[in-house]
Amino acid sequence: LMAQHMGVLGSDGQGITARIDGALDFVGRLFATQPLFARANPLVAERVEAMKGYNRHYLAHEFFNRDWHPMHVATVADWLAPAKLSYACSANLTEHVPALGLTPEQRNLLADIPDRMFRETVRDFMLNTQFRRDYWVKGRREASPLQLVERLREERVVLAVPRNEASFTLPGPLGEVTLNPAVYGPVLDALADHAPRAIGELPLPVQGGFGQLLEAVLLLCGSGQVAPAQDEAAIQAARPAAARLNAHLCAAARGSGDVTWLASPVTGGGVPVDRVAQMFLGTRAAGIARPATWAEAACATLASQGQGLLREGKPLASEEENLAEMTRLAEGFAAHRLPLLQALGVA
């Protein structure tokens, strides 16, 4: 409906952002009339309301694409079969811990379904899945249980957040889940120096053995607190390109906050770094070590563009307030965030 509104009632001269805003506004007005569709699908109104806060370029790509056609996972499997690609597993690591999102009755029902793709379809209904992230492989071969454990023991992980910011509570489809500190605490402590370690080197829980340890690593990785780490050869090979990319992004952050991730050669992926922190890193890379100077440079850059900092959603009124707040951010960044980024090869 929104895509049709944009195509029929939107004007090319408005630009994509205005056309998307018009479509969202129209759907909001439609739902205000209490149509039967909204009564039968009460969650749709919440999703549309949430979409209003999304980046418009993302919405254009994800929902307003001319050839965007939602489909079930079984349909994708049929399409990929001629290329000899088969479903491997979910790329969402928390889904590999069924107890996090499925009731015992749901897990029992899934266990009774012999066909993999039908089982995945049923799981999507159980979880009301909106977007899937999956791995597909060509020439899929099953590993023996022993081979699987041995390979998993060799996989390396690294702590991706400061140790004191690690959380023992995770959101889940069935509500918030509290992790057992006796199991997860020793794992986080072993990774507290942010050095990559093999899963087999981490402390085994008193009960549950390697299976319980693997579940802990999966949940910590799925929550973004721990990340898979590359081997040393891959890390060293990735450092030059990551450094060039990060330098480019930090320079671009002076004029825009569009990209809030930097590249880590350690994880081989992205690390969240906001615009202000990127400006700090850019100034630091120029050889300036004092956080107070990082703050002064960042304030000057923002002020030259008529911008400033917010506190509790409101802009700070004076240059002095902006500088004081920016200095606080720079000192906190230097004390807590910078050591992590250095360990991940970002800074």
Side-chain angles (χ1 to χ4, degrees):
L1 181 66
M2 292 188 294
Q4 188 173 359
H5 179 280
M6 190 172 76
V8 174
L9 299 181
S11 169
D12 290 341
Q14 291 179 298
I16 187 67
T17 298
R19 292 160 68 194
I20 290 175
D21 287 341
L24 289 170
D25 177 69
F26 175 80
V27 172
R29 289 188 289 126
L30 169 64
F31 284 170
T33 68
Q34 295 295 310
L36 291 178
F37 174 84
R39 299 182 198 179
N41 302 274
L43 295 179
V44 174
E46 296 179 14
R47 289 184 60 188
V48 172
E49 187 63 30
M51 287 169 63
K52 293 180 180 179
Y54 293 172
N55 182 284
R56 293 305 186 254
H57 297 293
Y58 163 77
L59 292 179
H61 163 77
E62 200 67 65
F63 294 102
F64 293 87
N65 192 305
R66 181 188 63 188
D67 299 309
W68 186 80
H69 302 291
M71 63 194 73
H72 293 288
V73 64
T75 305
V76 177
D78 290 340
W79 282 15
L80 295 179
K84 302 188 185 307
L85 283 165
S86 58
Y87 175 76
C89 64
S90 171
N92 185 344
L93 296 183
T94 58
E95 290 187 7
H96 295 273
V97 184
L100 184 67
L102 299 171
T103 66
E105 294 79 11
Q106 290 171 336
R107 298 199 296 272
N108 290 336
L109 178 59
L110 288 176
D112 290 336
I113 300 174
D115 184 84
R116 296 188 80 211
M117 300 322 302
F118 185 62
R119 186 165 60 245
E120 289 301 312
T121 299
V122 174
R123 183 197 296 268
D124 286 341
F125 275 92
M126 290 177 172
L127 297 175
N128 191 30
T129 303
Q130 298 175 16
F131 295 101
R132 291 185 61 103
R133 290 181 293 164
D134 299 312
Y135 288 114
W136 298 79
V137 296
K138 195 166 189 175
R140 180 175 177 266
R141 293 178 296 169
E142 294 283 351
S144 70
L146 177 61
Q147 289 173 319
L148 186 59
V149 170
E150 290 177 342
R151 291 292 299 275
L152 286 170
R153 288 178 59 85
E154 295 172 357
E155 288 296 319
R156 306 205 315 165
V157 294
V158 63
L159 188 62
V161 298
R163 173 63 182 90
N164 63 346
E165 294 181 13
S167 173
F168 290 108
T169 58
L170 301 179
L174 300 178
E176 191 172 75
V177 176
T178 300
L179 306 178
N180 184 355
V183 174
Y184 290 81
V187 174
L188 292 168
D189 290 341
L191 297 170
D193 61 358
H194 303 289
R197 284 182 173 79
I199 295 177
E201 298 174 2
L202 300 177
L204 286 174
V206 176
Q207 295 181 338
F210 184 75
Q212 182 66 62
L213 173 61
L214 181 60
E215 180 177 297
V217 171
L218 285 169
L219 288 182
L220 289 171
C221 285
S223 65
Q225 301 185 85
V226 169
Q230 303 195 97
D231 60 42
E232 287 303 322
I235 291 173
Q236 297 307 319
R239 284 190 186 278
R244 291 193 299 271
L245 175 59
N246 290 339
H248 170 78
L249 293 175
C250 289
R254 299 177 70 250
S256 169
D258 287 345
V259 181
T260 56
W261 296 77
L262 295 178
S264 166
V266 175
T267 68
V271 177
V273 183
D274 62 36
R275 181 190 180 189
V276 168
Q278 289 186 37
M279 287 195 286
F280 293 159
L281 289 176
T283 305
R284 176 179 175 273
I288 300 174
R290 294 178 62 250
T293 308
W294 305 348
E296 293 170 0
C299 279
T301 298
L302 293 178
S304 68
Q305 301 167 73
Q307 301 170 356
L309 294 174
L310 301 176
R311 180 185 294 155
E312 297 179 354
K314 298 180 180 179
L316 297 178
S318 66
E319 293 182 9
E320 291 76 13
E321 287 180 308
N322 270 277
L323 181 58
E325 178 66 10
M326 191 70 80
T327 302
R328 184 186 70 81
L329 294 175
E331 291 173 347
F333 174 80
H336 305 293
R337 188 70 176 166
L338 180 59
L340 170 63
L341 296 180
Q342 289 174 314
L344 296 178
V346 175

